[in-house]
């Protein structure tokens, strides 16, 4: 229980620090690295979607599971394609070209073989199950439910100073 509370405090503190840096003005925001840093998300796509969050998630799991990272990048590409199929928005063509390059060069099979997309759902499901076990997601959800039922857990976090 103490570990969950400590992790929650660290998460809130990191989020507040990130927001403070973001509000400090241009040039002070966190510079993404990896996949999300290799391609610049155009503002026209960033406002309407969570493509950036998907690419950041792909960054985080790329070393652990390159198949799932590739699937996430392909999903982000598909979202961009659906939003602007003719690449008319400023920077959209460069974004899609760069992302496709990342997918082909960094995330495709290194041995030059073809990617078997027939198993993509299976890869996602296996990764999800492993993630849930590793991070004890169900235990955390049960603990949160107990807190809510006991009245000791409040969703109103108030102001932090």
């Amino acid at each position: 229980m103490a570990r969950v509370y400590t992790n929650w405090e660290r998460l809130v503190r990191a989020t507040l620090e990130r927001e403070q840096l973001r509000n400090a003005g241009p040039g002070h925001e966190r510079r993404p690295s990896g996949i999300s840093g290799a391609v610049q998300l155009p503002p026209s796509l960033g406002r309407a979607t969570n493509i950036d969050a998907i690419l950041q998630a792909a960054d985080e799991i790329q070393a652990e599971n390159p198949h799932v990272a590739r699937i996430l990048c392909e999903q982000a590409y598909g979202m961009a394609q659906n939003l602007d199929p003719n690449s008319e928005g400023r920077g959209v063509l460069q974004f899609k070209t760069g992302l496709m390059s990342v997918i082909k060069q960094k995330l495709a099979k290194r041995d030059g073989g073809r990617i078997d997309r027939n198993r993509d759902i299976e890869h996602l499901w296996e990764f999800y199950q492993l993630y849930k076990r590793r991070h004890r997601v169900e235990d955390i959800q049960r603990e949160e439910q107990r807190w809510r039922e006991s009245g000791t857990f409040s969703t109103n976090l108030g102001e932090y100073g």
Side-chain angles (χ1 to χ4, degrees):
M1 172 105 135
R3 192 177 107 204
V4 171
Y5 184 71
T6 302
N7 286 342
W8 175 253
E9 284 182 336
R10 284 181 37 221
L11 175 66
V12 170
R13 198 173 313 115
T15 302
L16 290 173
E17 287 173 7
R18 186 183 73 201
E19 289 302 314
Q20 288 172 348
L21 285 174
R22 185 177 290 157
N23 293 334
H28 293 284
E29 59 272 356
R30 183 179 77 83
R31 297 281 186 236
S33 60
I35 297 166
S36 58
V39 290
Q40 182 68 34
L41 183 65
S44 62
L45 296 178
R47 283 187 294 260
T49 66
N50 55 357
I51 291 174
D52 193 42
I54 292 170
L55 294 176
Q56 287 177 9
D59 271 345
E60 292 175 13
I61 64 170
Q62 180 179 357
E64 180 182 349
N65 194 322
H67 291 296
V68 174
R70 174 193 51 83
I71 294 166
L72 290 175
C73 287
E74 288 176 349
Q75 175 65 27
Y77 181 87
M79 291 171 74
Q81 183 65 19
N82 288 338
L83 285 170
D84 193 348
N86 298 324
S87 301
E88 294 171 346
R90 183 179 182 136
V92 173
L93 180 61
Q94 292 85 349
F95 170 76
K96 291 197 287 190
T97 303
L99 185 54
M100 188 53 67
S101 176
V102 166
I103 292 169
K104 287 181 178 178
Q105 292 176 5
K106 290 186 177 181
L107 301 175
K109 284 190 155 188
R110 305 237 189 269
D111 59 6
R114 294 185 54 87
I115 297 170
D116 181 13
R117 288 184 173 81
N118 293 327
R119 296 195 59 221
D120 282 356
I121 298 217
E122 191 177 320
H123 286 298
L124 286 172
W125 182 252
E126 289 170 2
F127 180 79
Y128 173 68
Q129 294 299 322
L130 179 64
Y131 181 89
K132 279 179 37 176
R133 279 193 307 274
R134 184 178 297 147
H135 297 283
R136 301 178 45 221
V137 171
E138 291 172 349
D139 294 341
I140 292 170
Q141 289 171 337
R142 279 193 295 272
E143 185 69 24
E144 182 180 279
Q145 185 63 33
R146 279 195 295 266
W147 285 353
R148 285 188 180 157
E149 290 170 356
S150 71
T152 59
F153 182 76
S154 172
T155 56
N156 182 6
L157 299 175
E159 294 293 320
Y160 288 93

